[in-house]
Amino acid sequence: MRFQAGIPTVFSGLLLASKISALPVGAEQQPIFLPEAELHDPTSYALYPLQSTIRDVLHKHLVIGDVLDDFEPSYYLDIKYPKNHESVLLGNDIPVDSVSSRPVFTFHSIDAAYSPPRKSDKHKKSAFTLILTDPDAKSRDNPKWSEMCHWILTNLTTPVAPDPPRLLKAKAGEIEEYLPPGPPPKTGAHRYVFVLLEGDTTSLKAPKDRKHWGYDKPRHGVRDWAKDNGLTVVGANFFYAENEKQ
Ligand SMILES: *[C@@H]1O[C@H](CO)[C@@H](O)[C@H](O)[C@H]1NC(C)=O
């Protein structure tokens, strides 16, 4: 199941997530249909389980499984590619041409969506790292180069919740330069997975190689690197991209 993006608001990711939550993704999950007007009011999100929706979608596309161990998302990653106004929306298709330069992003504590952020937010002093990885190199059926590390941006702090949310540009802290996704011809759609990691970033180093994140074995990557560096997965988002020649 893949989605075509097309909702040009800052909360588009949340909007899409609310639509996904209306699909039969799990027996325990009750579909909730919000009136159009309420979709623009962030307090409405308290009404449905965004956290389990994100997790269900990550499971469904085997992002949890192939790339990450099971986890409870505590942040929503809002990522946009400004060039052609594309947003990363938990598994939508984005043309390769749109992802040729760095995205802008922000991340929201999912709990903070339920109540105004307090000054004593326990995550305030946390440091974060954002990565982009391709588990489907060379292809999803033949992942012999996977995972391929595309980006590591570290020393991020929790953005103070401005209204409307401001998207951050990559600045200092890039320990692995952004490598634009370039899936080879005839290798089908690749999943490009952003992962938000939390933990000490003061002495983080890039992996020794982009291929397999330096682990010399297919299907190894950010999971190993995060573990070796004591980082915890707190959020993820992803899109699909494929070469025009299939
Ligand atoms: C991250 O921050 C630490 C402490 O301020 C600094 O020593 C380190 O060089 C920074 N890393 C990067 C990649 O900028």
Side-chain angles (χ1 to χ4, degrees):
M1 178 184 58
R2 281 151 54 191
F3 296 88
Q4 203 57 51
I7 311 162
T9 83
V10 172
F11 283 105
S12 54
L14 299 177
L15 287 173
L16 186 86
S18 76
K19 288 187 177 151
I20 292 166
S21 76
L23 299 172
V25 285
E28 78 292 349
Q29 194 159 335
Q30 296 303 313
I32 295 171
F33 297 91
L34 296 174
E36 191 62 27
E38 282 189 35
L39 289 173
H40 300 285
D41 173 6
T43 57
S44 298
Y45 299 118
L47 296 174
Y48 73 90
L50 178 61
Q51 196 173 32
S52 52
T53 301
I54 295 172
R55 191 165 157 221
D56 287 345
V57 177
L58 295 173
H59 267 294
K60 191 167 182 146
H61 293 255
L62 295 178
V63 170
I64 292 179
D66 291 344
V67 185
L68 303 172
D69 293 332
D70 197 9
F71 75 106
E72 293 278 349
S74 44
Y75 286 87
Y76 183 78
L77 261 174
D78 193 349
I79 299 168
K80 292 190 194 322
Y81 282 96
K83 189 180 173 192
N84 294 328
H85 311 287
E86 295 278 4
S87 297
V88 176
L89 298 174
L90 289 167
N92 56 321
D93 297 316
I94 301 186
V96 173
D97 172 56
S98 301
V99 298
S100 56
S101 48
R102 289 170 182 75
V104 294
F105 64 94
T106 189
F107 43 100
H108 319 275
S109 161
I110 292 172
D111 297 333
Y114 300 164
S115 60
R118 287 183 303 257
K119 284 219 170 76
S120 61
D121 187 336
K122 69 179 162 70
H123 293 297
K124 207 171 178 192
K125 288 226 171 63
S126 300
F128 296 87
T129 300
L130 178 66
I131 68 90
L132 175 61
T133 191
D134 175 5
D136 302 326
K138 177 179 181 182
S139 69
R140 191 157 173 174
D141 294 337
N142 180 16
K144 61 182 179 178
W145 304 331
S146 87
E147 293 164 25
M148 188 65 77
C149 173
H150 280 263
W151 200 29
I152 304 178
L153 188 62
T154 188
N155 279 0
L156 303 168
T157 49
T158 322
V160 187
D163 188 20
R166 203 175 36 231
L167 296 173
L168 308 175
K169 284 206 171 82
K171 301 182 285 223
E174 191 169 65
I175 58 175
E176 191 73 71
E177 262 186 48
Y178 181 74
L179 171 70
K186 303 190 175 174
T187 62
H190 292 218
R191 291 163 294 175
Y192 289 92
V193 181
F194 290 95
V195 182
L196 186 67
L197 301 159
E198 183 174 16
D200 185 10
T201 56
T202 45
S203 56
L204 269 190
K205 301 230 169 15
K208 71 174 172 15
D209 204 350
R210 286 188 190 262
K211 192 168 139 190
H212 312 312
W213 285 63
Y215 287 93
D216 298 327
K217 275 179 289 190
R219 283 279 187 229
H220 283 258
V222 65
R223 178 162 27 202
D224 310 67
W225 186 78
K227 196 169 166 218
D228 286 351
N229 287 286
L231 304 176
T232 310
V233 176
V234 293
N237 203 340
F238 68 106
F239 64 95
Y240 283 89
E242 65 181 11
N243 194 289
E244 279 182 7
K245 293 200 185 78
Q246 292 297 329

